[in-house]
Amino acid sequence: MIHLLKNKKRYIYVSLAIATSIFISSCKETKKEADNSAKNKTTMETAKPNIVVIYMDDLGYGDISANGATEITTPNIDKLANEGVRFTNGYATSATCTPSRYGLLTGVYPWRNKDAAILPGTAPLIINTEQTTIPKMLKKQGYATGIVGKWHLGLGQGNVNWNERVSPGPNEVGFDYSYIMAATQDRVPTVYIKNGHVDGLDPKDPIEVDYSKNYDNQPTGKNNPELLSMKWHHGHNNSIVNGIPRIGFMKGGEAAKWSDVDMADHFLKEAKSYVTEHKNEPFFLYYALQQPHVPRTPHPRFVGKSGMGPRGDVILEADWIIGEFIKTLEEEKLLENTLIVFTSDNGPVLNDGYFDDAVEKLGKHTPTGGLRGGKYSLFDAGTRVPFITYWKGKIKPAVSNALVCQVDLLSSLAKLTGSNTTTNDSEQLLDAFLGKSNNGRKHLILEANKKTALRSGDWALIPPYKGKAINTQVNIELGIANEYQLYNLKEDKQQQNNLADTNAKKLSELVSIYTQLRGETTEETGELELK
Ligand code: NG6
Ligand code: CA
């Protein structure tokens, strides 16, 4: 088996080399012709459209009106959905952030990498710098590559000195340009990092960050409730920044600290400048918004606008931001030459550690869109997320039931741009993403807190696991039970009827597929070693 894998690898390298040379020469050819005719110019552009991935944080399947929300209106996201392909079976690889982002960028299932779990702000980079990534692949195809927004895949190699250039990070795994927050909005360091440098840092006021102990005399959420503008419910009681208690301790770096209410506008400005600066070359922009993750801090323009408290308000804010971003693409006349993918890293959660009225003011809104579970869950609401592809004039409006996953973007975007790059886990589903086919993948392994489940056709299989069935802090069913769970999602979208006892044939079929796919894994290579 190992032999076969090596041969396969070699085969991929060789075919990649051949394909690249064919592609380069065909590009040269195309260029000559392009000089002569405007029609051929379009062909060239089509081969290298700009690619923008708009990635939300904790946005649920039912949080957008295009997916049926009635209590909240998201017109700008809906425009992408209604004029593009709206997927009803689009998945993140995982029910939390770090693993999903790992799967998206590397095309490798995150459960193959033991470090792909929710990371503290001080965690080292978990993508191997030798590994394939979407931006690396696109760079080889001649793209400028940028990230703006949330990273949460680790930085440096341990014991980071935040006062020097922090590396390796996004720039070492394929991004020419990076403007990021290191981890999450609720974690220190609460500063922006531009190409590895803390933005706006005053060298006379160095930053120190620690997740195990506080610095002398620094106030904390736990000890200084009088300093808080937002109260913590669980966790989130360490250093206080802008009146908000965070996870982890931080000292110094005053001038560099972000303003929470301005974060959305700040990232928008960065994303717009990226587009404007790169409008004359093919570019890939990974725009990772922070909403509606906690702490939910809408700009005053949006406060109270949803009637649902800060969670609803930041969804409206994000929708407005996306509208503004698309306006820039339009003004720069790039919309017809840009593929936009809109999706979210995991499902929704209401109380994720702060008292912010998300539960109290929810009203009739259903962030899960009627799916079971939520963020952290092996049930479908953990990983089935809003998923939209939009390309003005190229993609015809459609609703697609194809089973697609963010891990498939690597191979599919490779195909789109003339690269042969692929991994064992990333399926090439370009036609599905472009709305030309309803055929997605047959099977998909889903992950939540290192536990995995199978989606196969219309069926979901969750193997038995030890552990709590409900995370009572966030009030979400985790999908954990000490027996097999088998659901027919076509008839039972809400995963209420466990058919494991009554459909032994289906159960054994899926157990066998699951065992084969899950196999034994070689870390980070994406290779499966089946027994
Ligand atoms: C959890 C945090 C939660 C959120 C999550 C990461 C506590 C008690 N809870 O550990 O608030 O930060 O991690 O979310 O600290 S994610 O979307 O980035 O995966
Ligand atoms: Ca998330």
Side-chain angles (χ1 to χ4, degrees):
M1 193 66 204
I2 291 174
H3 243 78
L4 273 176
L5 285 172
K6 280 195 181 138
N7 283 341
K8 191 174 169 195
K9 235 184 179 175
R10 201 171 304 141
Y11 170 76
I12 291 172
Y13 284 137
V14 172
S15 24
L16 187 67
I18 296 171
T20 313
S21 55
I22 293 172
F23 187 67
I24 289 170
S25 53
S26 78
C27 264
K28 279 184 193 152
E29 285 302 306
T30 319
K31 186 159 188 329
K32 262 188 239 157
E33 290 161 24
D35 295 336
N36 302 332
S37 112
K39 196 169 163 231
N40 277 347
K41 187 161 174 283
T42 317
T43 318
M44 264 295 276
E45 282 172 1
T46 315
K48 295 275 184 341
N50 307 308
I51 300 168
V52 177
V53 174
I54 300 177
Y55 209 51
M56 303 300 297
D57 194 358
D58 297 1
L59 189 76
Y61 185 88
D63 273 325
I64 57 174
S65 31
N67 280 353
T70 51
E71 308 302 299
I72 196 162
T73 313
T74 50
N76 295 297
I77 300 168
D78 290 4
K79 183 175 155 64
L80 301 180
N82 297 333
E83 296 174 20
V85 185
R86 179 172 72 81
F87 291 90
T88 58
N89 287 300
Y91 283 82
T93 59
S94 307
T96 55
C97 165
T98 300
S100 286
R101 284 159 207 259
Y102 180 86
L104 165 76
L105 289 181
T106 65
V108 173
Y109 278 137
W111 42 267
R112 298 190 191 284
N113 180 342
K114 65 172 175 27
D115 297 324
I118 299 172
L119 297 177
T122 45
L125 177 67
I126 63 160
I127 300 177
N128 185 326
T129 52
E130 299 301 308
Q131 225 176 317
T132 299
T133 63
I134 291 179
K136 263 194 202 171
M137 177 278 289
L138 290 174
K139 236 166 108 121
K140 283 198 194 121
Q141 299 307 105
Y143 277 71
T145 55
I147 168 173
V148 171
K150 176 173 173 174
W151 177 240
H152 212 190
L153 288 161
L155 291 169
Q157 295 172 308
N159 288 327
V160 164
N161 180 348
W162 300 93
N163 304 290
E164 294 172 353
R165 178 157 191 273
V166 180
S167 115
N171 297 63
E172 285 67 38
V173 297
F175 290 104
D176 306 324
Y177 178 76
S178 65
Y179 195 92
I180 59 166
M181 71 161 129
T184 56
Q185 203 186 331
D186 56 1
R187 282 171 174 75
V188 298
T190 50
V191 294
Y192 299 117
I193 301 171
K194 183 176 183 173
N195 293 324
H197 297 279
V198 171
D199 197 17
L201 182 67
D202 174 358
K204 285 185 266 141
D205 180 27
I207 296 190
E208 291 177 74
V209 181
D210 195 316
Y211 271 66
S212 56
K213 56 177 190 336
N214 193 14
Y215 297 94
D216 289 346
N217 305 321
Q218 297 294 308
T220 62
K222 198 168 179 185
N223 298 333
N224 304 84
E226 75 285 359
L227 299 179
L228 302 181
S229 59
M230 193 187 283
K231 292 210 165 73
W232 56 278
H233 176 270
H234 57 276
H236 307 96
N237 57 19
N238 301 155
S239 289
I240 304 169
V241 181
N242 307 331
I244 303 171
R246 317 275 167 158
I247 307 173
F249 303 99
M250 172 175 167
K251 194 183 161 192
E254 281 308 320
K257 283 180 181 171
W258 67 47
S259 153
D260 290 275
V261 294
D262 292 319
M263 182 177 281
D265 288 339
H266 195 75
F267 281 143
L268 173 65
K269 195 168 131 266
E270 281 295 323
K272 281 175 150 186
S273 320
Y274 188 82
V275 167
T276 310
E277 279 163 30
H278 295 275
K279 64 181 174 188
N280 293 324
E281 59 186 326
F283 64 81
F284 167 62
L285 175 63
Y286 172 41
Y287 184 10
L289 280 70
Q290 87 281 12
Q291 301 107 326
H293 194 284
V294 296
R296 296 157 184 144
T297 53
H299 187 274
R301 303 194 300 283
F302 296 94
V303 171
K305 288 287 183 295
S306 69
M308 261 179 229
R311 186 175 188 278
D313 294 346
V314 297
I315 293 176
L316 295 186
E317 177 186 69
D319 183 74
W320 180 85
I321 291 277
I322 289 165
E324 291 301 296
F325 175 74
I326 289 164
K327 254 188 226 163
T328 302
L329 290 171
E330 214 162 15
E331 282 159 14
E332 300 293 359
K333 306 203 172 12
L334 296 173
L335 213 47
E336 268 126 351
N337 193 31
T338 303
L339 168 66
I340 300 175
V341 179
F342 172 90
T343 186
S344 173
D345 67 343
N346 52 253
V349 55
L350 295 174
N351 179 343
D352 207 13
Y354 294 97
F355 287 97
D356 65 1
D357 282 343
V359 175
E360 294 77 0
K361 294 197 172 162
L362 185 66
K364 287 191 213 136
H365 179 54
T366 52
T368 61
L371 303 172
R372 189 169 178 184
K375 181 177 180 176
Y376 310 110
S377 180
L378 277 176
F379 285 133
D380 243 22
T383 46
R384 206 200 295 195
V385 287
F387 207 130
I388 298 163
T389 53
Y390 170 91
W391 185 351
K392 190 176 180 190
K394 292 285 191 317
I395 289 183
K396 293 204 187 82
V399 176
S400 173
N401 297 327
L403 178 58
V404 297
C405 178
Q406 291 160 10
V407 78
D408 302 322
L409 287 170
L410 182 119
S411 297
S412 308
L413 296 178
K415 169 83 175 170
L416 172 70
T417 56
S419 160
N420 268 356
T421 300
T422 188
T423 66
N424 284 356
D425 297 336
S426 179
E427 291 193 22
Q428 196 280 93
L429 303 175
L430 183 61
D431 282 351
F433 286 124
L434 297 183
K436 292 180 185 163
S437 156
N438 242 325
N439 296 331
R441 45 163 67 230
K442 287 199 169 69
H443 317 292
L444 173 66
I445 300 281
L446 298 165
E447 186 256 351
N449 306 317
K450 296 288 174 194
K451 298 178 173 70
T452 49
L454 173 73
R455 165 86 199 243
S456 178
D458 288 329
W459 294 83
L461 172 81
I462 309 178
Y465 287 109
K466 288 201 182 76
K468 285 189 190 146
I470 298 181
N471 177 334
T472 48
Q473 288 182 318
V474 295
N475 194 22
I476 288 175
E477 292 182 299
L478 300 174
I480 307 296
N482 53 15
E483 56 185 11
Y484 274 108
Q485 298 177 74
L486 176 70
Y487 299 102
N488 182 341
L489 295 171
K490 199 165 191 182
E491 291 159 9
D492 176 23
K493 187 178 135 188
Q494 299 189 352
Q495 299 180 296
Q496 295 296 315
N497 302 316
N498 182 1
L499 303 176
D501 284 342
T502 51
N503 197 339
K505 192 164 161 260
K506 199 63 180 175
L507 179 66
S508 83
E509 183 194 322
L510 291 201
V511 169
S512 138
I513 294 168
Y514 171 78
T515 317
Q516 266 211 347
L517 291 177
R518 194 63 175 79
E520 272 196 13
T521 61
T522 317
E523 225 178 274
E524 297 200 0
T525 61
E527 290 170 359
L528 267 177
E529 284 183 48
L530 298 182
K531 274 187 195 156

